[in-house]
Amino acid sequence: MSQNDATTLTVPVTGGDLPADLHLPPSGQGPGIVLLQEIFGVTEYISGRARDLASQGYVVLVPHIYWRLGDQVVSEAQDGLPEAMGLLQRLDWDAAVGDAAAAVAALREREEVQGPVGVLGFCFGGGLAFAVAAATADEGAQDGARPDALVSYYGSALPDLLGQASRVTLPSLHHFGLADDYIPQAKVREIEDAVTGGGRDTTFLTYAGAGHAFDNPSPLFHHAEASKQAWVATEQWLAEHLPV
């Protein structure tokens, strides 16, 4: 299998089987990353980022979190936003957290994974990744489901998860735009205060002029300079915390 190919597998979870796409690095093995989608589903953009990470040497698993809703993929243009928001409103959040945690555990068990396993999410997925880190913080909460590192791009659920921030003690990297219409700058600073401090290994980066979902290449969201800077920072941070 080439580095640009993915294999679809299933992860047993409560209520059925979670589909997930496995992307292997050129070497066939490496540290693991569970990549969590935006509200639009597992789009070509998300698959492209999975390929980017695989090319850096990571074994990447992309769970289809919308599988309970028909595994839909929605347009990332303006006309797709109402449908995507509708899917999010129908989503069972607790089930989604459990599914994502199960994906972490399943990836850790794969023979291709050599070393730690992190979780990385964009927008909806960034908040979901944070919730997984909080939910699995206790030893033995779920065998193998505790991620070793967290990367969250503008986690949209973080304003509602700050009460759990003290539980997220793993190394983490957060990216936020300072022109985000969904998460105002004052709230971004509140999130920063909650996730940093206390001796935690937290890196919090902000980008002037960048709005929500600035890494997404859709013209509705994309901020080229912020996207570039954040991805370089992500690669460097992963190289330190999930070394290949």
Side-chain angles (χ1 to χ4, degrees):
M1 180 172 67
S2 74
Q3 69 188 64
N4 290 326
D5 293 334
T7 299
T8 299
L9 50 86
T10 56
V11 177
V13 294
T14 302
D17 292 314
L18 166 69
D21 303 329
L22 181 69
H23 298 257
L24 294 180
S27 67
Q29 61 182 29
I33 294 177
V34 171
L35 177 59
L36 297 174
Q37 66 188 57
E38 294 183 315
I39 64 172
F40 303 102
V42 180
T43 60
E44 177 52 35
Y45 157 59
I46 292 297
S47 296
R49 277 311 193 198
R51 293 191 294 268
D52 291 339
L53 291 167
S55 73
Q56 295 295 313
Y58 298 99
V59 179
V60 184
L61 188 66
V62 184
H64 290 231
I65 299 298
Y66 282 169
W67 74 279
R68 299 175 190 270
L69 301 175
D71 199 9
Q72 297 186 53
V73 177
V74 180
S75 167
E76 295 150 294
Q78 182 71 45
D79 60 0
L81 276 174
E83 182 180 358
M85 294 302 294
L87 284 169
L88 190 61
Q89 291 169 2
R90 292 166 50 204
L91 181 80
D92 183 325
W93 175 259
D94 291 338
V97 173
D99 288 350
V104 173
L107 182 59
R108 196 183 298 277
E109 293 175 355
R110 293 197 65 86
E111 62 182 11
E112 298 95 340
V113 173
Q114 303 292 321
V117 173
V119 61
L120 186 156
F122 295 93
C123 184
F124 158 68
L128 185 62
F130 189 86
V132 169
T136 60
D138 295 332
E139 290 284 354
Q142 183 176 343
D143 291 343
R146 297 178 65 210
D148 299 299
L150 161 70
V151 179
S152 176
Y153 272 73
Y154 30 79
S156 55
L158 259 69
D160 298 321
L161 297 174
L162 297 187
Q164 302 178 36
S166 63
R167 295 176 55 79
V168 182
T169 58
L170 77 175
S172 64
L173 169 63
H174 296 265
H175 299 287
F176 282 94
L178 294 180
D180 191 324
D181 291 335
Y182 298 93
I183 307 177
Q185 190 170 149
K187 182 60 69 173
V188 169
R189 295 309 181 191
E190 184 180 344
I191 294 168
E192 181 178 14
D193 289 343
V195 301
T196 57
R200 283 177 286 181
D201 182 358
T202 304
T203 301
F204 199 95
L205 302 177
T206 58
Y207 305 87
H212 196 71
F214 63 73
D215 188 62
N216 189 310
S218 167
L220 185 62
F221 306 110
H222 195 54
H223 190 291
E225 187 59 29
S227 174
K228 179 180 178 181
Q229 290 178 10
W231 194 253
V232 169
T234 295
E235 290 181 335
Q236 293 173 344
W237 191 90
L238 288 172
E240 178 182 352
H241 293 87
L242 293 177
V244 173

